[in-house]
Amino acid sequence: MASKRISPKRISIGEGFAKAILFGEHSVVYGYPAIVCGLGVGAIASVQDAETSAFFFTGVNANFQTQLESPSSLAEGFRSLFEVLGITSSVEIHVDLSIPTGAGLGSSAAIGAACCRALIKHFNLSEDLIESGVEAFEVVFHASPSGVDQAAALYGGFFQFSKSSGYQKIEVPVLDLVVANVGSREPTKHILERFASQKKSDETRFKVTMEEMGSLPSQAQIALTNKDLVEVGKLMTHNHSLLNEVGVSSPELDIACQIAIKAGALGAKLTGAGRGGCIISLVQDPSSNAVEKALLKAGYWTRSYHILENSGQ
Ligand code: PMV
């Protein structure tokens, strides 16, 4: 008797990149530039046809799933994405994450970019939909994002970003960053809302601090061009203290930065929305592993990233 042939399921893959903001989180929302580094890793999504739409996440701190009809924000993100792409068929999407979620590394944009790319391939849709698809997904988590996470998730690399000029690739010397996650924090949307209301309550002080924060990217650009990593590190630490002044650091983030600096980092700061999540520290001599070891010893999820000139896409 001839055996019944089972046709293999067609799977479409897409990738989205995580990022670390070196300079300018929060001030970028108010129109100042930011300097951002794509980490070259993030989210990989695989899409296949299914009876009902469901989404499965695995990775660093992820092992969960959601359905399209679920009341979760994640499901809402997928509903918005499907609407923009005009998808009415059911699919299963599996997402593998190489960074922690909700920790300041742009995981939601990386997931959005990976899924949007995979869905566009799967349904043979126009590539022109990519930016609006990722934005629709991202808006659910950020309310009014600056667009920096979305740019990093789609294009990666090392770049300057502002709301008015968008993504501008920049040349950098080789950079060694150690990223450590101090633990859970509120969703970005809530941190941004609180930041906006604090800003209203003391407009003058916020304006001065924002202007100072907003001036750091251009100072950092000069230091990066001169390959002056000591100066880059100092500016990073200064950026952290300004973020602390406007209330988006936390005792845990401050302690992690101090541990990194004590172990020899040239500078350290929170990255992303803050109030928890990740710090980034700049390392001069990665071969010693001293900073990575100290952060690991303190119990944080820790990774080293060797950022090459022209890394990313
Ligand atoms: O914490 P994340 O990865 O969501 O990054 C937020 C970065 C902000 O500057 C605080 C917000 C934004 O949209 O630029």
Side-chain angles (χ1 to χ4, degrees), residues 2-182:
S3 61
K4 196 176 158 205
R5 282 187 67 173
I6 301 170
S7 50
K9 280 204 166 162
R10 196 169 64 85
I11 294 179
S12 311
I13 309 281
E15 186 170 15
F17 303 109
K19 58 91 186 66
I21 299 183
L22 254 71
F23 297 97
E25 50 275 274
H26 289 287
S27 43
V28 70
V29 177
Y30 296 90
Y32 296 98
I35 292 186
V36 184
C37 168
L39 295 178
V41 294
I44 296 183
S46 55
V47 173
Q48 61 187 61
D49 298 324
E51 295 290 310
T52 53
S53 285
F55 314 101
F56 302 85
F57 293 82
T58 47
V60 176
N61 64 346
N63 188 9
F64 52 89
Q65 64 182 74
T66 191
Q67 322 289 321
L68 192 62
E69 306 75 29
S70 143
S72 68
S73 308
L74 204 48
E76 192 187 334
F78 280 108
R79 288 195 290 273
S80 306
L81 175 58
F82 279 30
E83 197 181 321
V84 168
L85 299 184
I87 293 171
T88 47
S89 320
S90 296
V91 287
E92 221 172 68
I93 306 185
H94 292 256
V95 181
D96 186 42
L97 290 156
S98 43
I99 39 125
T101 53
L105 301 181
S107 59
S108 57
I111 293 169
C115 294
C116 192
R117 281 203 168 111
L119 286 164
I120 284 176
K121 265 188 218 159
H122 200 73
F123 293 105
N124 208 9
L125 304 170
S126 162
E127 288 285 336
D128 294 347
L129 290 166
I130 188 88
E131 292 203 354
S132 47
V134 181
E135 192 179 343
F137 187 85
E138 184 65 347
V139 137
V140 173
F141 304 93
H142 277 222
S144 53
S146 65
V148 71
D149 284 13
Q150 190 181 323
L154 285 171
Y155 310 117
F158 204 99
F159 63 98
Q160 175 156 323
F161 180 91
S162 73
K163 275 180 162 179
S164 55
S165 309
Y167 178 102
Q168 288 175 310
K169 206 164 183 66
I170 52 179
E171 302 290 313
V172 285
V174 167
L175 288 186
D176 285 284
L177 296 179
V178 181
V179 177
N181 184 13
V182 307

